[in-house]
Amino acid sequence: MSRLDRHTLEPLLRDSTERALTYLATLDERPVGPTAEALGALGAFDEVLPDGPGDPRATVELLDRVGSPATVASNGGRYFGFVIGGALPAAMASSWVATAWDQNSALPVMSPVAAKLHQVTTRWLVELLRLPPATTAVFVTGASMANVTALTAARDAQLARAGWDVQAEGLFGAPEITVVVGEKAHSTVVKALGVIGLGRNRVVTIPADDQGRLQPHLLPAKVQGPAIVCAQAGEVNTGAFDPFNAIAEWARSNDAWLHVDGAFGLWAAVDPTRQHLTAGLDRADSWATDGHKWLNVGYDCGIAFARRPEDLRRSFASTAGYLPPDDGRGFEVMHHSPAASQRARQIEVWAALRSLGRAGVTDLVQRTCRYAETMAAGLDHAGLHVLNQVVLNQVLVRDETDEATRALVEAVQADGTCWCGPTTWGGRPAMRISVSGWATDEADVVASVRAITAARHAARPHAG
Ligand SMILES: *Cc1c(COP(=O)(O)O)cnc(C)c1O
């Protein structure tokens, strides 16, 4: 194909649309995990690199024929593994248009529309998530990178306060930073600390309670010098929230930076009935969340928020002769986040928010939380032990013995009606259920409880 004319593109894009529609329409009929046959067929991709060009439609045909059956149906209504949302129709369709645009969102001069939608989406998010009004957002690949982004800003701001320019001088010889995390901090927070040179193990770890909440009375009495404390909104197993007000008090009296990892839990702030969980959340200096989890936009999309834009700029501004001076055209993404060139992830977030409206986002959160409660009640009724207080969209269950729990997870996955993943809690195996997809409905929940119950009986034929 040489030109972007309609005559050349139309058959290709119509064919792709048709394939996508067929895929989506049959998502709920197929097993959630791919069949062994589909996995075996992936060998068809083991080709030598073609010597020369071919018909793009043949490439898409191969992708669909061999690739589609080997996907995990996580975009459907009965996928409860990890914390994975689907893709809302408006987000998906906007992403197709935005793919055609192929905009680089690094600077306003590269894409005025991306800059405009960055501004609008940031305003909407800050309002919805009840963050301080001047809060800035950057759209990154996920909460992992949002944690890296925010914790870099935290590190640099805390060291700047101590008279140290870490971007110029590096960490060698810098004043030490006390980094405090809860025992149940997400692995990506710990990874981010390692990536930015603060160390995965060189942290003060505060024990958590039985729900995974940091116990604030165990915070150190007083720390000297730069300090960062990481709190969590939504523990990956239990959905529990750290006590933000108590942690914010501690941060204030120690001049520490408070970062909140709220990859999915931050969205609880949209639900008026869950404000007891998010109280004090707005007192933090930075927040990390995901668009691709509970908001149900496509991959990849995370969001880092900073209370003060200058804290991002201190860490991420870059200079080069060809870069325009700040011309007031809008927010310069590349000077406030790790990447320069990037796709305009805010477009899908904007589309999701605009198509749902405030009430729709609230309903998404409330509905999935209600399904989690239904799921917990159904599984409790079936004789499983529900290990967590179901305060959000996460349910943690266990069978009588560790062996039975492991067998249950395997049997559920093999059955294919729904998909739930294994985890460990309190040092023992458990099964984790996350209701994060917009497409899940009451019937999916009923069918899944029934399938898990049946899988339990199949896995333990001699038990009652
Ligand atoms: C998923 C998750 C992350 C990491 O997010 P990615 O989008 O996978 O990078 C971080 N923290 C928590 C609490 C999470 O649930």
Side-chain angles (χ1 to χ4, degrees):
M1 190 186 340
S2 55
R3 297 284 302 268
L4 296 173
D5 60 79
R6 185 167 189 129
H7 177 72
T8 321
L9 283 173
E10 186 153 348
L12 176 65
L13 294 187
R14 289 214 186 281
D15 175 66
S16 312
T17 307
E18 201 51 50
R19 291 177 184 282
L21 285 170
T22 303
Y23 176 78
L24 293 169
T26 52
L27 205 53
D28 275 349
E29 293 155 24
R30 46 164 290 182
V32 176
T35 61
E37 189 191 347
L39 296 177
L42 283 172
F45 286 124
D46 290 323
E47 305 174 288
V48 292
L49 177 66
D51 282 334
D55 180 1
R57 275 180 77 174
T59 295
V60 176
E61 190 277 332
L62 174 66
L63 178 71
D64 183 35
R65 176 169 47 82
V66 178
S68 290
T71 56
V72 170
S74 53
N75 200 8
R78 294 188 306 277
Y79 186 84
F80 306 111
F82 305 91
V83 182
I84 287 187
L88 285 160
M92 192 186 299
S94 303
S95 144
W96 289 352
V97 172
T99 297
W101 290 351
D102 192 30
Q103 296 291 280
N104 188 336
S105 147
L107 290 171
V109 70
M110 295 174 183
S111 179
V113 61
K116 186 64 191 172
L117 292 178
H118 186 284
Q119 180 197 16
V120 172
T121 308
T122 300
R123 177 162 57 79
W124 287 358
L125 285 169
V126 165
E127 201 184 304
L128 258 181
L129 300 173
R130 301 167 155 272
L131 301 176
T135 301
T136 311
V138 289
F139 298 83
V140 293
T141 51
S144 298
M145 274 311 293
N147 282 325
V148 168
T149 304
L151 289 169
T152 301
R155 178 195 68 185
D156 297 0
Q158 284 288 303
L159 286 177
R161 209 165 49 78
W164 188 269
D165 179 352
V166 63
Q167 289 295 328
E169 307 301 333
L171 279 175
F172 304 103
E176 289 217 7
I177 307 178
T178 305
V179 181
V180 178
V181 301
E183 181 192 345
K184 293 291 183 182
H186 195 263
S187 61
T188 61
V189 167
V190 177
K191 177 167 152 181
L193 291 169
V195 167
I196 67 169
L198 299 183
R200 294 190 184 203
N201 296 341
R202 209 198 123 284
V203 292
V204 180
T205 304
I206 309 301
D209 67 12
D210 66 341
Q211 297 298 306
R213 293 173 293 222
L214 182 154
Q215 299 189 68
H217 61 279
L218 300 177
L219 284 162
K222 185 77 193 162
V223 298
Q224 302 298 330
I228 299 169
V229 57
C230 302
Q232 176 162 263
E235 204 279 336
V236 279
N237 295 288
T238 63
F241 288 68
D242 285 345
F244 303 115
N245 271 318
I247 300 170
E249 277 311 311
W250 182 89
R252 194 176 55 172
S253 59
N254 287 284
D255 289 323
W257 179 292
L258 171 55
H259 171 66
V260 176
D261 174 14
F264 58 100
L266 207 61
W267 295 92
V270 306
D271 180 358
T273 70
R274 287 191 162 72
Q275 276 169 17
H276 57 289
L277 297 173
T278 55
L281 194 68
D282 58 341
R283 296 171 66 179
D285 299 288
S286 61
W287 303 262
T289 195
D290 266 317
H292 57 217
K293 285 180 178 170
W294 220 354
L295 182 61
N296 282 258
V297 307
Y299 291 96
D300 48 13
C301 180
I303 310 159
F305 294 100
R307 176 183 284 270
R308 295 163 295 270
E310 60 271 25
D311 285 330
L312 290 174
R313 195 159 183 115
R314 179 189 297 109
S315 301
F316 299 111
S318 44
T319 49
Y322 58 83
L323 288 173
D326 186 349
D327 54 8
R329 265 189 243 227
F331 183 73
E332 298 174 312
V333 172
M334 70 169 287
H335 296 309
H336 295 84
S337 66
S341 298
Q342 52 195 290
R343 70 187 191 87
R345 300 183 181 89
Q346 61 271 25
I347 291 173
E348 286 149 273
V349 175
W350 167 81
L353 296 178
R354 189 170 190 281
S355 69
L356 290 171
R358 183 187 295 278
V361 181
T362 307
D363 176 68
L364 175 62
V365 166
Q366 291 185 330
R367 198 161 47 82
T368 42
C369 289
R370 199 169 64 238
Y371 294 156
E373 283 170 22
T374 308
M375 200 81 114
L379 297 180
D380 173 71
H381 185 74
L384 291 167
H385 304 287
V386 178
L387 303 175
N388 65 321
Q389 295 162 12
V390 183
V391 296
L392 207 65
N393 60 336
Q394 307 289 112
V395 185
L396 202 53
V397 297
R398 177 175 284 160
D399 209 332
E400 297 296 340
T401 65
D402 292 353
E403 197 192 358
T405 301
R406 283 192 208 98
L408 172 69
V409 176
E410 264 176 46
V412 167
Q413 293 181 359
D415 167 66
T417 304
C418 66
W419 202 97
C420 308
T423 187
T424 55
W425 189 250
R428 290 181 51 203
M431 184 170 82
R432 185 165 72 124
I433 296 159
S434 174
V435 190
S436 305
W438 72 278
T440 299
D441 64 15
E442 201 80 47
D444 288 319
V445 173
V446 171
S448 299
V449 168
R450 197 179 299 136
I452 296 169
T453 307
R456 178 171 188 249
H457 288 299
R460 315 169 65 221
H462 307 299

